[in-house]
Structure formats: C-alpha cells, structure tokens
Amino acid sequence: MKITHVETHPVRIPAASPQFSWRAGLGGSAPDATGAVLRIGTDEGAEGVALFARPGAAAQLEELVDRVFRAELIGQDPYQREWLWHRVWELDRIEELPLPVLGLIDVALWDLAGRVAEQPVWQLLGGYRRSIPAYASTSTFATTEEFLDVATQCLEAGYAAIKLHAWGDARRDAKLCAALRDHVGDDVPLMYDGSAGFDLPDAIRLGRALTDLDYLWYEEPMREFSISAYRQLAQSVGVPLLVGETSDGAHLNTADFINAGAATFGVRASTTLRGGITGAMRIAHLADSYRLRAEVHGSDIPNQHLCMAISNTTYYESLVTSTDVRRESCVDADGLVHAPLAPGIALPAHLDYPAPLQHLVTTTP
C-alpha cells in the first residue's frame, strides 16, 4: 500500500455560544473560524483523516501540504508511522512547525490503520479501559460566586472532579481556591491550572496555598521555558506538579522535566500538543517507568482514544465554558466517558464537512 494523495479541506468551526474567557492577558474563545481536515489516501482506497481546528488552520495547513508534506508523503507506506513521525520532526528542524501540526499526520495515519483493521485506535494501541471519569475543566468566570455556582452544577451533572482556570492573580486565585475547597468539601478532587500566568515567586505563593488546601495537582503556573524554575517550584511546594503541556520536544522534553524532579504528579500527554498518538504514547510509557501519571490534555475524540489506551492516566478533561453547565456530549450522567466504537478515529459529527469527507464521518453511540 502506498500513499497517493494528500489533501486539505476547509471546515467551519462554529464559535462557542456563549463566548468565554481565559485569565487576564489571554484571549478568549474565537469567533467562527476556518479549520481544516487533513486527508491521506492510498492506492488501495484506504484513507485517514485528522482535524486541525485552530483559527487560521485552513490556510496554514494548505500551505504546508502544498510546499512540504505532499512531496514527503506521496509514495510512502502509510503503515510506516514510526518512520513518518521521525520524518516530520526532521522537517521541523527547518520549518519550526506549529505544535499541533507535529502530530497531525500521525493522527491521520493511525486513523487510516484503524479503518483498515476495522478497529478503534485505542484497541490498536492495546486497550486498557472502556470508560474513564471526566473532570470539569472551567474557563475563567467573572466572580467567585459564579465559580462556586458552576462547581455545584458540575457535581450535580456527574463530573468527578473540578479544575480551575482562574484570573492569573496569585492572591485572588488563592482565595478562590480556598472558597472552592470550602464549598465542595474535602472529598472532591480539585486541580488548578495557571495557564502560565506567573513568575516563580508568585507560583510558589499560590502553590503553598494549594498545598494547604489539598489540591490534587498544580498545572502550568509558569511558561515551560525554564525547567530549573519548575525544579525550584517542586522543591518549594507540597502540591504535586503536572508539567510538560506546551513545551516543544514531546517525550524528549518531558524526560528532562522528570529527570529534574519537576514532575511530582506527572506529565501531560495529548495528540494536539505532544506529537500525535505516537508522541503521546511515548510520553505515557516514559512516565510509567517513573511511576508517574500521564494525564491526557484536551477535549476531543483523538484524546478519548488516548484515555482508553493509557494505563497511567486518571481523567478525561471536559471543558465547561458557560455558567449554565451542560455536560459535554461524550460524558454520561455518571460522569463517565466511554470508549469510541467506530473504526479509526472518528471526526466530530457536529461539523459541516464538504462532500469528499462525508463518508469518513462516523458517529459512535
């Protein structure tokens, strides 16, 4: 089997309704945007697809496919995912590819393999579980009262745990974290995500508050440029750190966080930011060898497959972006996400795909 065509198809990504915000200094939800689907086909009719959903993705991916990827992929064996994964990273040396693009071809090739085998990708990866609890990962709301009301709704909806994305003010965020702990009690797992909003002194100040409040993990309080800063943070606070979400280098960079003693809870794995399925599984196995967690980052179908395949992950991350809480469609009333059943990696069915992609959109019960 040989790859014979590599295509991009623009897809409209509807804006969130209602719109939502992140911490001070970061943008909020995007308006309607044009994403893209990468489609890889073969001389035997097998096909695989991957969605690139970020604003501006269509133009960005079309340019990269036309200039770089098509010539690299045509004529290659689509089952040689390992070789092609390494080849993309070789190209990155000159191209400085966006993080989500580094795993996009890999996701499409895993999708192709699953469709040919008539198995969901999590089963091709070995399969560890058939369901996993979801935690509510909030956007940033205006007041403490709104956060507490959202937390009540999340627990009533069945979510197993709650993670805050707060304002990016160490003192104010610490007060919010304390109010939330008092509101939900001692038995609900709570997490905090700083969205890289702090320097080391403020990260330590907030981390000590989270230690006293028994938060499960403390995530990305600083940009992930300085592993030395994260090592010092780990030595200064008791709350476990979850690291390695947005730093370049997939498992290689993750290994340095672990070696430095900075990953005291675990590390992030995801298809979007950590090198696709192949990169995420390398990270998961690396973390497992140190008896650390590899927590899957992001709400989408490829990451549902990862959650079912990775033994050392705890939750599926489900975004909650409105004060009127509605469970993500993949989360049931008991707060569980169940393993996808369709072959390959299903594209999300709610988007309006062009005709050449319609036969590749499969829904799962």
Side-chain angles (χ1 to χ4, degrees):
M1 187 186 299
K2 299 295 182 185
I3 295 172
T4 54
H5 58 276
V6 182
E7 304 168 357
T8 63
H9 299 270
V11 179
R12 187 179 73 87
I13 310 296
S17 181
Q19 297 283 292
F20 61 87
S21 299
W22 299 113
R23 67 160 174 84
L26 295 183
S29 55
D32 282 9
T34 303
V37 172
L38 174 69
R39 180 185 179 206
I40 296 175
T42 69
D43 55 356
E44 296 184 17
E47 297 173 287
V49 289
L51 175 64
F52 186 17
R54 298 202 167 191
Q60 190 174 47
L61 185 61
E62 182 179 14
E63 191 273 339
L64 283 170
V65 166
D66 288 346
R67 185 172 56 83
V68 181
F69 290 145
R70 184 175 289 113
E72 288 288 339
L73 291 172
I74 287 180
Q76 297 288 347
D77 180 347
Y79 291 144
Q80 286 194 276
R81 291 181 299 272
E82 191 73 19
W83 154 251
L84 292 171
W85 190 85
H86 279 274
R87 185 60 190 154
V88 169
W89 283 89
E90 181 75 1
L91 296 171
D92 177 63
R93 172 61 185 84
I94 297 299
E95 296 292 336
E96 289 290 335
L97 299 169
L99 279 180
V101 172
L102 284 163
L104 202 64
I105 290 170
D106 185 71
V107 171
L109 293 175
W110 275 103
D111 179 58
L112 183 152
R115 291 175 188 273
V116 172
E118 298 185 343
Q119 288 189 332
V121 163
W122 65 270
Q123 285 188 327
L124 288 186
L125 293 169
Y128 180 78
R129 59 173 65 87
R130 293 182 178 269
S131 66
I132 193 169
Y135 71 84
S137 182
T138 75
S139 59
T140 303
F141 302 112
T143 66
T144 296
E145 291 71 27
E146 285 185 342
F147 272 106
L148 298 185
D149 180 58
V150 165
T152 297
Q153 294 181 64
C154 288
L155 296 177
E156 291 174 346
Y159 283 105
I162 299 168
K163 187 179 80 175
L164 294 177
H165 291 88
W167 302 295
D169 178 314
R171 291 178 183 272
R172 189 183 181 201
D173 287 9
K175 291 178 181 178
L176 170 63
C177 291
L180 180 60
R181 171 56 75 203
D182 183 64
H183 183 71
V184 303
D186 294 336
D187 295 334
V188 176
L190 298 177
M191 302 84 100
Y192 175 90
D193 188 332
S195 299
F198 304 110
D199 60 9
L200 181 59
D202 277 344
I204 291 173
R205 173 186 292 276
L206 181 53
R208 287 174 174 165
L210 297 176
T211 301
D212 294 340
L213 295 166
D214 193 29
Y215 270 55
L216 180 63
W217 76 59
Y218 185 21
E219 181 178 345
E220 201 191 5
M222 303 176 286
R223 290 301 301 268
E224 293 176 338
F225 299 141
S226 173
I227 294 177
S228 296
Y230 270 94
R231 179 176 59 231
Q232 190 167 344
L233 177 63
Q235 294 169 348
S236 302
V237 302
V239 62
L241 304 185
L242 180 63
V243 300
E245 177 180 317
T246 61
S247 53
D248 202 352
H251 63 292
L252 301 176
N253 170 267
T254 298
D256 283 337
F257 274 103
I258 294 172
N259 185 58
T264 48
F265 185 88
V267 296
R268 275 302 199 186
S270 77
T271 58
T272 307
L273 298 177
R274 308 306 286 164
I277 297 287
T278 297
M281 294 304 294
R282 286 181 175 216
I283 288 169
H285 295 153
L286 169 68
D288 189 48
S289 70
Y290 284 90
R291 309 311 298 147
L292 294 169
R293 307 283 174 87
E295 296 294 337
V296 176
H297 167 258
S299 297
D300 61 18
I301 297 174
N303 287 314
Q304 292 172 31
H305 286 268
L306 283 183
C307 283
M308 303 306 157
I310 293 174
S311 64
N312 52 324
T313 197
T314 314
Y315 297 106
Y316 170 80
E317 180 173 21
S318 178
L319 285 179
V320 172
T321 59
S322 171
T323 54
D324 181 17
V325 174
R326 295 287 184 270
R327 284 194 312 270
E328 190 179 351
S329 60
C330 65
V331 182
D332 72 12
D334 295 319
L336 295 175
V337 175
H338 296 274
L341 300 178
I345 303 172
L347 289 171
H350 69 282
L351 299 180
D352 184 18
Y353 297 99
L357 298 178
Q358 290 291 338
H359 67 290
L360 293 168
V361 181
T362 41
T363 58
T364 57

